[in-house]
Amino acid sequence: MNADTDIYQNKDLFAPVVFRRDFNEFAPINSNQAWSLFFTAGQEDKQLGNSPELGRFFTNTLLAIGTATFIWGYFFSRWADFL
């Protein structure tokens, strides 16, 4: 039986991903890693997997919601008197 008693000495083991030395070298991340960090509050960057489609889906959904909100607000601010 192997008892690793020094795993509690590793501060990067329990730290959030954004504070780890190997992550914080200003390396570019993809949208999937960004959404994974957002959903896990910076704890894990590979929670959504390595496939970029899910990151693109969340990004496009956010853009669609923003665009629909803008169009909805513009429509009702201009033509609300006619309705």
Side-chain angles (χ1 to χ4, degrees):
M1 184 162 117
N2 185 5
D4 290 331
T5 58
D6 62 340
I7 76 164
Y8 296 109
Q9 302 298 328
N10 187 0
K11 295 183 188 215
D12 288 339
L13 183 63
F14 299 110
V17 171
V18 293
F19 295 122
R20 293 181 188 163
R21 287 186 198 120
D22 59 346
F23 184 81
N24 197 9
E25 294 177 357
F26 298 103
I29 61 173
N30 60 20
S31 63
N32 205 27
Q33 288 174 315
W35 281 108
S36 180
L37 287 168
F38 176 74
F39 288 136
T40 61
Q43 295 294 323
E44 188 60 44
D45 64 335
K46 293 179 179 37
Q47 189 71 26
L48 295 178
N50 292 328
S51 178
E53 285 85 14
L54 197 57
R56 288 184 192 137
F57 171 74
F58 287 127
T59 302
N60 289 335
T61 301
L62 185 67
L63 288 173
I65 290 171
T67 303
T69 303
F70 176 77
I71 292 171
W72 187 270
Y74 179 77
F75 176 75
F76 279 109
S77 69
R78 293 288 185 183
W79 293 293
D81 297 336
F82 298 121
L83 298 175

